[in-house]
């Protein structure tokens, strides 16, 4: 089983990026998907998740959108109005807890390798 994250890069403040996370090796139709991020010198933090519900961290609410294409076994994170504070390595993850525990990284079984997002001021 492998999660492959892509789409990171360098963008100016106010710009947009779309991250993708493609899964292979099994289907994740009954799984919740999540995005987490880790900035330099900081702990990993929750960004967004989509299972039976869709939830966002307060810091990204209204700017980021998580979506999934079950047919492609892929989840996306559309990031708009990016800020320098969004600079981090972004990780996708899959959790068997479709109905909850979205915010808890330890509940996710599968993780992508991370993709770097850098937002310049």
């Amino acid at each position: 089983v492998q999660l492959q994250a892509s789409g990171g890069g360098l963008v100016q403040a106010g710009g947009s990026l779309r991250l993708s996370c493609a899964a292979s090796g099994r289907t994740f139709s009954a799984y919740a998907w999540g995005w987490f991020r880790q900035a330099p010198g900081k702990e990993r933090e929750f960004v967004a998740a989509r299972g039976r519900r869709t939830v966002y961290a307060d810091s990204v609410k209204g700017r980021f959108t998580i979506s999934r294409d079950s047919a492609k076994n892929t989840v996306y994170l559309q990031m708009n109005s990016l800020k320098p504070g969004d600079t981090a390595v972004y990780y996708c993850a899959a959790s068997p807890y479709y109905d909850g525990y979205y915010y808890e990284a330890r509940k996710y079984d599968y993780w992508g390798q991370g993709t770097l997002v850098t937002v310049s001021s």
Side-chain angles (χ1 to χ4, degrees):
V1 177
Q2 185 176 16
L3 302 185
Q4 183 71 38
S6 62
L10 174 63
V11 63
Q12 287 189 330
S16 298
L17 282 174
R18 189 177 81 154
L19 306 183
S20 299
C21 179
S24 59
R26 64 163 296 155
T27 59
F28 288 90
S29 57
Y31 274 60
W33 288 85
W35 286 95
F36 291 77
R37 67 186 182 186
Q38 187 166 17
K42 295 187 177 181
E43 294 189 353
R44 181 174 50 189
E45 65 176 2
F46 170 82
V47 175
R50 186 179 178 112
R52 190 174 302 282
R53 296 181 295 122
T54 300
V55 294
Y56 297 94
D58 287 343
S59 60
V60 306
K61 201 172 294 183
R63 300 188 298 123
F64 290 12
T65 302
I66 185 172
S67 61
R68 63 190 295 174
D69 185 333
S70 296
K72 295 183 178 180
N73 227 14
T74 300
V75 66
Y76 304 96
L77 185 68
Q78 178 66 43
M79 306 185 295
N80 299 328
S81 302
L82 282 162
K83 306 175 181 179
D86 296 318
T87 295
V89 176
Y90 284 70
Y91 298 91
C92 60
S95 165
Y97 296 95
Y98 188 72
D99 293 317
Y101 302 110
Y102 302 130
Y103 302 92
E104 299 181 48
R106 61 188 177 91
K107 294 295 188 180
Y108 290 78
D109 291 344
Y110 302 101
W111 290 83
Q113 85 286 5
T115 184
L116 176 62
V117 172
T118 303
V119 184
S120 63
S121 57

